[in-house]
Amino acid sequence: MTVGYWHREAYQALRAAATAMGQRPADHAADINAAVLARSAVYGQLARVTELLVGGRPAPEVPDRAGASTILRRRGQRLTQLYVGLRAATLVERQFPPSPTPVTAEPARSLHRAADAVGVIGDILASHVPPGQGPRTPEGLAIRAGGGVQSGIADVARLTSSLVMVDLALPGWLSHGRGHLTEIYRPVAETARWTASSGLGGIAGELIAAGRDQPPLDGLDIARSPLNPAPSVRTVDDAIASVAAARSWMWQNPGQITGSHLQLGTQLGLAAHILISDGAPTMVGGWRQAAIAAADLRATPPVGLARDAAAELAGVLRWARSQAAVGRSEGAQAGNKQLVRLSSELPFLAATLHRGLSAALQRGELFVKAEMPLARPAGSLIFRAAERWRPAVSDDDVVQDLNRGLAQRHQPGNDGRGTAARAFPNPPRPRGLMAQTPTRATPDGLSGRSRGRTR
């Protein structure tokens, strides 16, 4: 499930927690402890997501609440202020033990749901941009180039605003408890009052506004490895998952991309674009050129995970071709809208194949037809052409055609919406430059201090 799904899950859980606090006062210490621990966990997970988005800590150190208040009163540096506010909001002077039994009462249950959901968002991001490492996937490369970061920070800010609403209700929820509980949980109430009055909600509102109309990361999902056997492809969601798994693995292992991957990938790109464009030359030209060129290459068969990645691409290709008949039926319009979601993944596939083509040429593992001299077999009066193959080089016409075709498909479509592929702002350059990781870009409107060191 995608970042967008888990963001909605966390948002709804936080709203439910705030509503529950206004409906029924705190009653049992176990419920309160669970709610307090879950509240801090949500703030901590939001801070982690922020670090993953910008590639490090926006602030080198986390001050106490007094120091955080000073930073939050400054002008500008909204990203740094958001991060400092999130970290400071987790600080509670007294530690409370977790409940020994599962807690099902509201609002603890909803806060646990929110913490789990935000934690999954962090895990999805970490699968693409691991802390302290370079990007592992094309999506990770896009994020480090700044694509989708501003909208991702806006999503963090939306959840922060909802969490501030929880803190507004929290002191009242605690004060209606039994008398001795009010004093026990006084540090929690003080922390909640500080967060609610710190200006963190206003800072979040500014970041939400700055993220409007920016490329979203809603479609970003976990970067899994290719499976063996390859899963069956019955829906667009299945197809997107298989393409993402195959290209993510190929991006991490360009040295294992073979002619099979180039052929299957280019045929898949061509099939998908024919379905959504009715064969318009402006839409399919690059993929057609690439597919024709790739068909003229030969290479050793893939093995291991390389074979599994090829099998996932082959499964999607079979499914895409099977949709051709559906695309010409009365349900064509609805089907095309679904297929557009798949086509938005293909720019990353093109960039990955382009990178793998360069690596395969350097290894000398791609072959093209050599000139076919005439030879007369012994005892025969007929001269025959003997088929010969030689290692491909970058100057070969077929290689240049494949290079040009894939380069045309790097750039995503212009509808400006949807999946992580829409966040690909600077497609990799051809040949050797594709293997380089771009310098982190600071999103417009965010603090330059986001370039801090990753934990």
Side-chain angles (χ1 to χ4, degrees):
M1 295 181 183
T2 63
V3 165
Y5 171 87
W6 292 111
H7 179 268
R8 290 187 293 273
E9 179 76 6
Y11 179 79
Q12 293 168 2
L14 291 174
R15 294 290 298 270
T19 301
M21 284 182 178
Q23 292 176 343
R24 183 174 179 179
D27 195 11
H28 301 290
D31 296 339
I32 300 175
N33 288 355
V36 169
L37 294 172
R39 170 203 169 275
S40 293
V42 180
Y43 275 116
Q45 292 289 358
L46 288 173
R48 176 196 177 213
V49 169
T50 303
E51 292 179 15
L52 290 168
L53 283 170
V54 301
R57 292 183 178 183
E61 297 181 1
V62 180
D64 56 19
R65 287 205 296 269
S69 296
T70 302
I71 294 175
L72 291 172
R73 286 194 295 267
R74 295 174 184 170
R75 293 182 178 273
Q77 298 182 345
R78 292 310 191 198
L79 175 61
T80 299
Q81 291 173 323
L82 174 70
Y83 179 78
V84 168
L86 291 172
R87 284 298 183 193
T90 66
L91 302 177
V92 179
E93 294 179 0
R94 185 177 299 167
Q95 299 296 317
F96 299 94
S99 172
T101 58
V103 176
T104 58
E106 294 283 6
R109 185 173 63 86
S110 291
L111 286 171
H112 271 289
R113 280 176 51 211
D116 290 343
V118 180
V120 173
I121 293 174
D123 292 343
I124 291 173
L125 286 169
S127 73
H128 298 279
V129 283
Q133 303 178 32
R136 295 183 65 248
T137 65
E139 290 96 333
L141 182 67
I143 291 170
R144 283 294 167 263
V149 173
Q150 201 157 347
S151 65
I153 294 297
D155 287 342
V156 172
R158 288 186 186 92
L159 296 178
T160 301
S161 294
S162 298
L163 197 48
V164 169
M165 297 301 296
V166 172
D167 278 350
L168 283 169
L170 184 56
W173 184 63
L174 294 173
S175 66
H176 286 85
R178 295 172 182 172
H180 65 286
L181 294 180
T182 302
E183 179 58 28
I184 291 174
Y185 295 102
R186 179 181 52 79
V188 179
E190 290 176 352
T191 298
R193 290 191 185 98
W194 176 86
T195 305
S197 62
S198 65
L200 184 59
I203 293 166
E206 294 184 29
L207 290 171
I208 293 170
R212 290 196 180 100
D213 301 322
Q214 296 298 313
L217 291 176
D218 285 355
L220 190 67
D221 206 343
I222 199 78
R224 68 167 175 84
S225 297
L227 301 178
N228 183 15
S232 59
V233 179
R234 296 187 179 90
T235 66
V236 172
D237 288 337
D238 295 338
I240 291 173
S242 287
V243 171
R247 62 172 171 72
S248 294
W249 182 87
M250 290 190 294
W251 184 268
Q252 297 167 39
N253 302 275
Q256 297 188 48
I257 292 180
T258 68
S260 295
H261 300 105
L262 294 170
Q263 291 166 358
L264 290 168
T266 53
Q267 291 171 23
L268 173 57
L270 177 60
H273 278 279
I274 286 176
L275 284 175
I276 68 172
S277 65
D278 294 328
T282 56
M283 288 291 293
V284 302
W287 282 115
R288 178 175 284 128
Q289 180 182 13
I292 292 172
D296 289 333
L297 293 172
R298 293 294 182 272
T300 55
V303 296
L305 282 173
R307 181 185 59 230
D308 298 341
E312 296 236 26
L313 291 176
V316 180
L317 177 59
R318 288 191 296 270
W319 174 84
R321 286 173 171 170
S322 73
Q323 300 304 299
V326 177
R328 298 187 183 96
S329 68
E330 296 179 356
Q333 186 174 2
N336 285 351
K337 288 180 179 179
Q338 292 295 314
L339 287 168
V340 166
R341 297 173 53 218
L342 174 61
S343 73
S344 67
E345 294 290 320
L346 298 180
F348 279 157
L349 177 61
T352 303
L353 295 174
H354 196 280
R355 187 186 191 196
L357 172 61
S358 298
L361 288 172
Q362 293 174 6
R363 299 192 313 273
E365 293 184 3
L366 293 178
F367 302 90
V368 295
K369 283 186 178 180
E371 293 183 2
M372 295 184 292
L374 295 177
R376 187 176 67 180
S380 173
L381 298 177
I382 301 174
F383 284 82
R384 297 180 180 179
E387 186 177 83
R388 294 182 179 179
W389 294 82
R390 61 170 176 81
V393 295
S394 59
D395 291 335
D396 287 327
D397 290 342
V398 65
V399 173
Q400 292 185 0
D401 286 346
L402 181 54
N403 252 321
R404 283 192 293 267
L406 291 173
Q408 289 181 42
R409 306 320 310 172
H410 284 179
Q411 186 62 44
N414 297 320
D415 60 15
R417 298 190 58 81
T419 66
R422 301 302 182 193
F424 203 1
N426 299 307
R429 297 177 184 178
R431 303 188 184 273
L433 291 179
M434 289 200 62
Q436 299 178 5
T437 300
T439 303
R440 283 199 302 267
T442 302
D444 294 340
L446 300 185
S447 166
R449 296 183 67 182
S450 65
R451 299 175 182 268
R453 178 174 55 84
T454 302
R455 223 178 7 176

